[in-house]
Amino acid sequence: MRPSDSLPPHEQQAVAVYFDGDAEFYRVFRASAVQQFPVDLQEGDAAVQAGDAQALRRAAHTLKGVLLTLGYAELSAFAKQVELAAHQAPWDEAVAGWRELCARLVAAFGLA
């Protein structure tokens, strides 16, 4: 069995595309990202509290890239929607999107 065989198919695809087939490197990157996610969520929450659309855009943008690299294309696309909402949509829509993104991230990665 290959090291990547124990990963879900979308993560196996990420290993192939972004990590040159190196499943161990993927696992290290994923663990680091999961450890960083609570910090990212706090930064986004602080942006919401402050009414800072630019900071919310940055938080969503960061998550968008990391999630895509990890193989979570749908979640990355949703983060992109939040990023755009923080730039173009009414603030309440951006905030609602951020909260939904947080909930999806917590569910996908088992964050507490």
Side-chain angles (χ1 to χ4, degrees), residues 80-105:
K80 181 177 182 174
Q81 290 176 3
V82 174
E83 177 186 12
L84 292 173
H87 179 62
Q88 302 169 342
W91 182 243
D92 60 332
E93 289 180 30
V95 171
W98 174 254
R99 290 187 177 134
E100 178 66 22
L101 178 59
C102 291
R104 291 182 185 194
L105 196 66

Side-chain angles (χ1 to χ4, degrees), residues 28-90:
V28 169
F29 180 82
R30 186 186 191 284
S32 176
V34 170
Q35 190 173 29
Q36 178 64 32
F37 285 153
V39 175
D40 296 332
L41 295 179
Q42 287 174 348
E43 288 175 3
D45 289 343
V48 166
Q49 285 296 108
D52 186 342
Q54 276 299 108
L56 186 59
R57 274 181 71 194
R58 282 191 304 274
H61 178 81
T62 298
L63 289 171
K64 175 185 72 175
V66 172
L67 291 165
L68 184 61
T69 303
L70 290 173
Y72 289 77
E74 287 181 27
L75 198 49
S76 174
F78 191 78
K80 181 177 182 174
Q81 290 176 3
V82 174
E83 177 186 12
L84 292 173
H87 179 62
Q88 302 169 342

